[in-house]
Amino acid sequence: EPEVTQTPSHQVTQMGQEVILRCVPISNHLYFYWYRQILGQKVEFLVSFYNNEISEKSEIFDDQFSVERPDGSNFTLKIRSTKLEDSAMYFCASVDRGIQYFGAGTRLSVL
Amino acid sequence: GIQVEQSPPDLILQEGANSTLRCNFSDSVNNLQWFHQNPWGQLINLFYIPSGTKQNGRLSATTVATERYSLLYISSSQTTDSGVYFCAGLTNFGNEKLTFGTGTRLTIIP
């Protein structure tokens, strides 16, 4: 069964550094999402992406965040200058016929 | 957006017991999904169930769309069922984000 792939599984970075989280959505899916889950809390929506542009973003998704689909397969989330409070699990998802398929997540630890 | 509430927040059961997890949502949904988050943090998709009943092995789910709730049943619990169970819904198809509940933490004791 096709799956959403995320790399790396765990990223450790120093505060103030830039990080790029990568996702390969299921091929032929057209809508892509990033969600975030701070430890012990619920999963929260960050941003949705369609037709090479942002469709919707939450208030969490400030100027430090950006998304890109640099080629036909990858979908990336960049955090320009990480803060301690960015430590979380980040999930990528893509959609087919209303069902959202999630990747295994990237655990980001900001020290 | 919709509000999603789950109950109970925590559930501790002996291996072999049955359990029922509940999800209430504030508005009609076109998509309702149940997930299991394992100890490694991975979100495993269990069911896509905007209405009706589905079964997959020891797990089954029922959504009563008109009354805005969904139930997840786990029968003959195993220790590997431990983790957090989330439900999530959205009100429109297309480019719509899922709204997650706060989850039910299930602990199965051997």
Side-chain angles (χ1 to χ4, degrees), chain B:
Chain B
I2 63 169
Q3 305 299 314
V4 181
E5 295 180 354
Q6 291 187 244
S7 60
D10 292 280
L11 189 57
I12 301 174
L13 296 171
Q14 289 283 341
E15 197 169 21
N18 301 327
S19 58
T20 300
L21 283 58
R22 186 177 178 102
C23 174
N24 293 328
F25 33 95
S26 61
D27 203 348
S28 300
V29 293
N30 285 319
N31 175 4
L32 191 287
Q33 293 182 236
W34 281 97
F35 298 89
H36 174 215
Q37 186 165 42
N38 63 23
W40 296 272
Q42 297 172 329
L43 279 175
I44 311 300
N45 200 345
L46 297 177
F47 292 102
Y48 165 74
I49 186 163
S51 64
T53 297
K54 289 186 179 179
Q55 180 155 7
N56 184 3
R58 296 182 296 104
L59 274 61
S60 64
T62 295
T63 296
V64 184
T66 53
E67 298 188 21
R68 300 177 184 174
Y69 73 88
S70 183
L71 301 174
L72 178 70
Y73 305 98
I74 305 173
S75 64
S76 304
S77 300
Q78 300 175 358
T79 55
T80 51
D81 294 330
S82 295
V84 183
Y85 289 80
F86 290 100
C87 68
L90 60 81
T91 56
N92 290 297
F93 283 129
N95 194 22
E96 179 90 10
K97 60 186 181 288
L98 277 174
T99 298
F100 281 74
T102 51
T104 292
R105 180 174 298 278
L106 177 65
T107 303
I108 304 300
I109 301 171

Side-chain angles (χ1 to χ4, degrees), chain A residues 46-62:
Chain A
L46 282 179
V47 65
S48 57
F49 193 85
Y50 170 71
N51 200 24
N52 285 321
E53 61 182 26
I54 291 174
S55 301
E56 184 181 356
K57 57 184 180 180
S58 72
E59 59 187 22
I60 303 169
F61 194 89
D62 61 22

